[in-house]
Amino acid sequence: MEYVSCVKEAARAARRALATRERGEDPSEALSEMETAETRRSILFEALVLLADDAASKSAATVNERLWDLLIYAREPDGVSTAHRTELGPALIDALNALHKTARSDLAIGAALITRR
């Protein structure tokens, strides 16, 4: 839960940096918040990998990759093609949705309870 929240925090800060830059303002505060969240996300990812099954870990790694695409764009918006820019948000959301699904499966949320007699 904390990992996903941190990913969302980093993504929000990245979008804020982009919006600030588009208004011709200094994005450094939002970029600093983004980098702080990214550092925390990295630490939280290590805990997730240690505790989750392979499917959830792989899903989280995909979330990392999609988030990094967005962070790269926030840092250097001119280095990302226009076509790729429009895919960044939806790709991250899709990756987060896949992580939710694999994490719920790993935690057996929604599974029928099996009782021993």
Side-chain angles (χ1 to χ4, degrees):
M1 189 69 191
E2 193 174 350
Y3 166 81
V4 170
S5 295
C6 192
V7 167
K8 290 181 175 186
E9 182 181 325
R12 278 191 302 273
R15 286 191 297 272
R16 234 180 7 264
L18 288 162
T20 301
R21 189 179 278 119
E22 286 176 7
R23 292 190 306 268
E25 299 171 7
D26 181 11
S28 60
E29 184 178 329
L31 289 170
S32 177
E33 291 173 15
M34 181 186 83
E35 297 302 343
T36 298
E38 169 55 12
T39 298
R40 234 177 62 248
R41 184 225 40 89
S42 177
I43 293 165
L44 293 169
F45 175 72
E46 295 304 321
L48 187 148
V49 169
L50 288 171
L51 298 173
D53 69 6
D54 287 343
S57 294
K58 186 174 181 176
S59 291
T62 301
V63 168
N64 289 344
E65 292 170 6
R66 299 298 75 80
L67 177 64
W68 293 333
D69 290 342
L70 179 59
L71 301 186
I72 289 167
Y73 177 44
R75 291 179 191 117
E76 298 293 330
D78 295 333
V80 177
S81 71
T82 303
H84 188 62
R85 291 175 192 173
T86 60
E87 299 170 8
L88 295 175
L92 179 57
I93 291 168
D94 290 346
L96 282 166
N97 288 338
L99 174 58
H100 294 155
K101 184 177 180 179
T102 56
R104 288 176 60 84
S105 176
D106 183 23
L107 296 169
I109 295 173
L113 294 176
I114 300 173
T115 58
R116 297 176 91 179
R117 293 188 181 212

